[in-house]
């Protein structure tokens, strides 16, 4: 959806006047092309999530919530609809395994519609629930921005002669949520308030979400940033050139252990060794209340071709994939790693900041204590 400046600032929306069509920015084409894609059917949703046309834990959660609505619509006149619906919703839930947001969203929808006998009512409730969930996620990101801002302000006040230098990994901006982002929300707010910031953007191999998405977002917003290779962060920290690390989360366990894009753990280790504060910004939809620690978080493995090939814009202006490895080499492609809570300085949530441990999390979310 484009704003009055005709640039995108939102990753998913309902097609104008057509509640049956969900529109997304197809993130596979960024930063080279701005392609909007219609999601009309549950299959479109499943494909969009697994092919990473949409990605980022909060965004795939919201997409899944609309996926449940589209499923009910799609099978409305099917004589065997209950079986189809069950199977399809299971597929939506399993479209990507690591982010808990997918499951959070699907359970929310199932809870909302279970017990309703009128099918039309079910469809309407599923649509309203998805809209409400999307609004909750937008509001959570706005709050994360507000709650994280003092971290940046404090660092700036300590050293007002230069920008606050923030390192981030992967993309946890508005492309990964609906609006504003998680890790980038405090950065955008600081920028709006004229606090000088400079973002070190990890390229984030193999899919280069840093290079392709975070750098694009920051360029659009006019936020000063430099791309760095994935191996550079530790060196910059040793040089005293990183004031703060903020990343997102795909799933945080009750003890603060956090699964995020592969390579996050290495940044946390380097931050610990260099006394650099390492924060994880997340909405509560990314907390897995059923997991005491991160040992059982499923780690997505993706196609080895994502490692063996790289994609970019050719001299003739075409998006092309080229091979970068020997023909006989194999590759392993783990999508995420788990950073232990003990390496995380704190969590930035919609309810405020807390320590990355059970006590800290439950103090912010006491209603979850009895689960
Ligand atoms: O594989 P991706 O691009 O979906 O991975 C995304 C991340 O790792 C993000 O940091 C995470 O989902 C948080 S997004 C606010």
């Amino acid at each position: 959806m484009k704003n009055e400046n005709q640039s995108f600032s939102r990753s998913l929306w309902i097609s104008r006047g057509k509640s049956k069509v969900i529109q997304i920015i197809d993130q596979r084409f960024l930063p080279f092309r701005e392609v909007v894609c219609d999601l009309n059917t549950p299959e479109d949703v499943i494909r969009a999530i697994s092919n990473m046309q949409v990605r980022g834990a909060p965004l795939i959660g919201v997409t899944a919530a609309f996926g449940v609505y589209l499923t009910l619509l799609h099978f409305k006149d099917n004589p065997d609809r209950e079986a189809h619906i069950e199977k399809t919703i299971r597929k939506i839930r399993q479209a990507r395994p690591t982010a808990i947001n997918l499951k959070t969203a699907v359970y929310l929808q199932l809870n909302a519609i279970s017990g309703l006998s009128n099918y039309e009512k079910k469809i309407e409730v599923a649509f309203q629930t998805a809209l409400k969930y999307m609004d909750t996620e937008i509001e959570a990101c706005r709050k994360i921005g507000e709650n994280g801002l003092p971290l940046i302000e404090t660092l700036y006040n300590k050293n007002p002669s230069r920008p606050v230098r923030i390192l981030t990994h992967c993309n946890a901006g508005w492309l990964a949520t609906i609006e504003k982002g998680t890790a980038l929300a405090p950065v955008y707010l600081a920028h709006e308030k004229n606090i000088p910031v400079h973002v070190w953007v990890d390229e984030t191999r193999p899919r280069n979400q840093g290079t392709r998405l975070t750098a694009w977002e920051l360029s659009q917003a006019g936020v000063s940033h430099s791309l760095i290779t994935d191996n550079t962060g530790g060196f910059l920290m040793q040089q005293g050139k990183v004031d703060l690390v903020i990343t997102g989360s795909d799933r945080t366990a009750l003890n603060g252990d956090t699964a995020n894009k592969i390579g996050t753990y290495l940044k946390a280790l380097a931050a610990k060794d260099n006394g650099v504060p390492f924060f994880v910004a997340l909405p509560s939809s990314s907390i897995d209340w059923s997991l005491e620690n991160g040992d059982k978080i499923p780690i997505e493995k993706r196609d080895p071709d994502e490692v063996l090939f790289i994609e970019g814009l050719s001299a003739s202006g075409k998006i092309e994939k080229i091979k970068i490895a020997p023909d006989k080499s194999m590759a392993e492609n783990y999508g995420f790693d788990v950073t232990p809570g003990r390496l995380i300085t704190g969590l930035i949530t919609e309810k405020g900041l807390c320590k990355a441990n059970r006590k800290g999390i439950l103090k912010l979310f006491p209603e979850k204590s009895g689960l």
Side-chain angles (χ1 to χ4, degrees), residues 22 58 92 103 113 129 157 271 336 343 355:
I22 312 301
I92 294 175
K103 295 188 178 69
I113 59 174
T129 304
N157 291 335
F336 299 89
L343 297 180
K355 290 247 182 290

Side-chain angles (χ1 to χ4, degrees), residues 1 8 10-26 35-49 53-54 58-74 92 109 123-124 126-134 177-178:
M1 186 186 268
F8 285 101
R10 192 183 168 115
S11 56
L12 176 149
W13 60 95
I14 313 299
S15 175
R16 200 176 294 219
K18 290 192 217 158
S19 68
K20 294 178 183 156
V21 184
I22 312 301
Q23 292 190 304
I24 55 163
I25 301 178
D26 190 331
V35 176
V36 171
C37 172
D38 287 355
L39 306 181
N40 294 293
T41 66
E43 280 312 317
D44 290 345
V45 166
I46 295 161
R47 200 177 319 111
I49 295 174
Q53 290 166 264
V54 286
L59 176 59
I60 59 180
V62 172
T63 312
F66 282 107
V68 173
Y69 158 67
L70 291 179
T71 304
L72 296 182
L73 269 180
H74 188 73
I92 294 175
Q109 282 286 34
I123 296 176
E124 181 52 24
F127 183 57
Q128 293 304 332
T129 304
L131 283 179
K132 202 164 151 213
Y133 181 61
M134 176 163 71
T177 58
I178 299 289

Side-chain angles (χ1 to χ4, degrees), residues 52 55-58 96 170-172 176 182 209 249-250 260-261 336:
M52 294 175 66
R55 29 71 47 206
R96 288 191 74 192
C170 194
N171 170 263
T182 57
Q209 289 94 327
S249 162
D250 274 76
N260 192 52
K261 182 51 55 195
F336 299 89

